[in-house]
Every structure is written in C-alpha cells, then in structure tokens.
C-alpha cells in the first residue's frame, strides 16, 4: 500500500477512534482521553492507537477500561471505515507526552535557578 494511502487510512482511523471513544465509550467525567497517533500495519491487520489520559493518575485504569471496550470500538470502526479489513486495535499509552512534560519541568527549574543566581 502506498505511503499516501497509509497516511489517509491512519488519519481516518485516528478521527473515527477519537469520535468513538468520546461518544460511545462511557468514561468517568473527570477523565480526558486524546488519541495522539495511529500506526497501521501495511496489511491493515493491526493498528497501534497511542493515547494520552488526563489526569495522569487515572491513565492505567482508563487504558484498561478502553481495552475492555476494544471489541465494541472495533465493531463501530468497522461499520464506519470504508476498507476491506478492520484492523485489530492495540491501545497504548503515549509516553512521549510524559517525556515532553518532564523536559519542560527540567527547563523551567534550570531557568528559575539561573534567574535566582543572577539576583
């Protein structure tokens, strides 16, 4: 499958899974889930769905809840997706958001330390 076609399939799965999680899956009101990236295999059999969860202390329970609803998500996705196969979905927490947040914290601490030393 061509790169442009894969990009379009990933974008469509990204949009649809985001909508399904927001509208069809019952999550606690104080939890915010964002699909950050979709990586579909070239044969369309599997798709890795990277998500972030806020607040951070609810991410493990929320990912487990989404995994329990995976069959429903795949069924709804299959009815809305216009391709031959509905990929098997694999949900994972997107660690890049935590790493970026940690990096910003380190930069802020260094900046404040530098400002304090100049005073």
């Amino acid at each position: 499958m061509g790169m442009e076609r894969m990009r379009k399939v990933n974008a469509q799965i990204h949009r649809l899974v985001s909508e399904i999680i927001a509208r069809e899956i019952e999550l606690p009101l104080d939890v915010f889930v964002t699909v950050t990236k979709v990586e579909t295999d070239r044969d369309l059999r599997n798709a890795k769905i990277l998500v972030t969860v806020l607040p951070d202390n609810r991410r493990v329970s929320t990912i487990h809840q989404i995994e329990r609803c995976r069959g429903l998500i795949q069924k709804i996705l299959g009815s809305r997706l216009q391709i031959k196969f509905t990929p098997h979905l694999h949900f994972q927490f997107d660690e890049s958001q935590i790493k970026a947040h940690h990096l910003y914290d380190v930069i802020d601490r260094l900046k404040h330390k530098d400002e304090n030393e100049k005073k």
Side-chain angles (χ1 to χ4, degrees):
M1 183 176 290
M3 293 300 290
E4 181 62 20
R5 172 91 167 123
M6 284 304 300
R7 188 189 63 72
K8 287 180 180 180
V9 168
N10 285 336
Q12 187 176 21
I13 292 172
H14 183 281
R15 182 181 57 78
L16 291 171
V17 170
S18 295
E19 288 175 7
I20 293 166
I21 290 174
R23 296 182 181 149
E24 308 291 338
I25 304 303
E26 202 167 310
L27 295 172
L29 294 176
D30 63 338
V31 173
F32 184 70
V33 176
T34 303
V35 175
T36 57
K37 188 173 185 180
V38 173
E39 298 174 353
T40 307
D41 290 350
R42 292 180 67 78
D43 64 1
L44 301 176
R45 298 291 184 180
N46 294 287
K48 180 168 57 170
I49 313 294
L50 298 174
V51 298
T52 59
V53 177
L54 292 174
D56 190 49
N57 64 343
R58 302 288 298 270
R59 72 180 169 137
V60 173
S61 62
T62 302
I63 292 291
H64 286 308
Q65 189 171 358
I66 291 171
E67 275 293 327
R68 284 192 299 272
C69 297
R70 183 169 33 116
L72 175 62
I73 295 169
Q74 280 185 214
K75 181 179 177 182
I76 296 169
L77 178 67
S79 69
R80 297 179 186 172
L81 196 61
Q82 301 297 317
I83 59 175
K84 187 173 184 177
F85 301 108
T86 301
H88 182 76
L89 304 178
H90 304 276
F91 291 92
Q92 295 180 358
F93 186 72
D94 188 351
E95 297 289 336
S96 67
Q97 298 294 324
I98 290 177
K99 291 176 185 175
H101 184 69
H102 177 69
L103 183 60
Y104 285 126
D105 285 345
V106 170
I107 291 170
D108 281 344
R109 278 186 266 143
L110 290 173
K111 181 179 173 184
H112 290 294
K113 181 180 175 185
D114 187 47
E115 289 172 355
N116 289 336
E117 288 176 357
K118 288 180 180 179
K119 289 182 181 179

